[in-house]
Amino acid sequence: MTAQQSRTADADSETDAILSVQDLRKSFGGITAVDGVSFEIEPGSITGLIGPNGAGKSTTFNLISGAYTPDSGTIVFDGTDITGYRPDRVATRGLVRSFQIARELPEMSVLENVMLAPQHQLGETLYRSVLPGFRSGVETQERELRERAWETLEFFEIDHLATENAGNLSGGQRKLLEMARVLMTDPEMILLDEPLAGVNPTLEQKLIERLHELKADGYTFLFVEHDMDIVMNNCDPIIVMHQGQKLAEGAPETIKEDDRVLEAYLGGEVEQ
Ligand SMILES: Nc1ncnc2c1ncn2[C@@H]1O[C@H](COP(=O)(O)OP(=O)(O)O)[C@@H](O)[C@H]1O
Ligand SMILES: [Mg+2]
């Protein structure tokens, strides 16, 4: 693609992108982990972010979620330049990275963990709503929070575990709890970094079905996953990173047939 075409494409999608990353760079000492990456994410998509180990995927997530500050480049979410925002401020805007939010408290019940998630992710704003209320307003808030927590547990089919200590859940059940906690923070877009690692096939299927339902409801996902079948069957479009750069971007069928992508995964030389 020529620079002219690239600019035109950017201009076309600029109006409806929910997330726009432009020329993002981040180095650690001598290693350039992210080397001038640009992409745009359409609202309501499950966009895959793939690439061999060390390609820069997690660093890209850390930059978007505010865990790292970029050396240069810009991150615009929902029309707001969030470059350099701290993670809690990014989350308050509606862009939440799962599997990085405060870990569940193993000694507390599943229900309590879900009810506390907004406080953990978003700061003190909702804290009072989970304290025993002295005023009726606080009691109403707590009841609403509790109802939403139950609905969210039912959605992920872990409501039968509500009174169980979170520490007793299986690895897969904890992933479902994690997703439930993310949803309680009321996000618009969710960054998923290998959410299916260690999840058994039954729960994996359940989680993927939930992702598609949430997508249909208008949620947006950026999804790092190493299982190529899962990516090809569930993500569209797919962005491929290699050595800190964006190597390719497109529909699964296109990415599947891209020789450069194949070479990158096989560790071969890649023509720039
Ligand atoms: N905090 C860090 N300090 C030093 N080097 C890092 C750090 N984070 C990532 N890197 C390096 O940046 C490169 C990209 O890593 P990463 O983003 O984790 O890739 P991926 O998630 O695609 O496997 C790697 O060479 C990695 O060693
Ligand atoms: Mg990684």
Side-chain angles (χ1 to χ4, degrees), residues 28 31 33 51-60 68:
F28 302 101
I31 298 168
N53 257 339
K57 306 178 297 292
S58 293
T59 305
T60 300
Y68 296 160

Side-chain angles (χ1 to χ4, degrees), residues 36-57:
V37 167
S38 302
F39 56 77
E40 304 209 319
I41 305 293
E42 288 216 15
S45 68
I46 302 178
T47 301
L49 179 61
I50 65 170
N53 257 339
K57 306 178 297 292

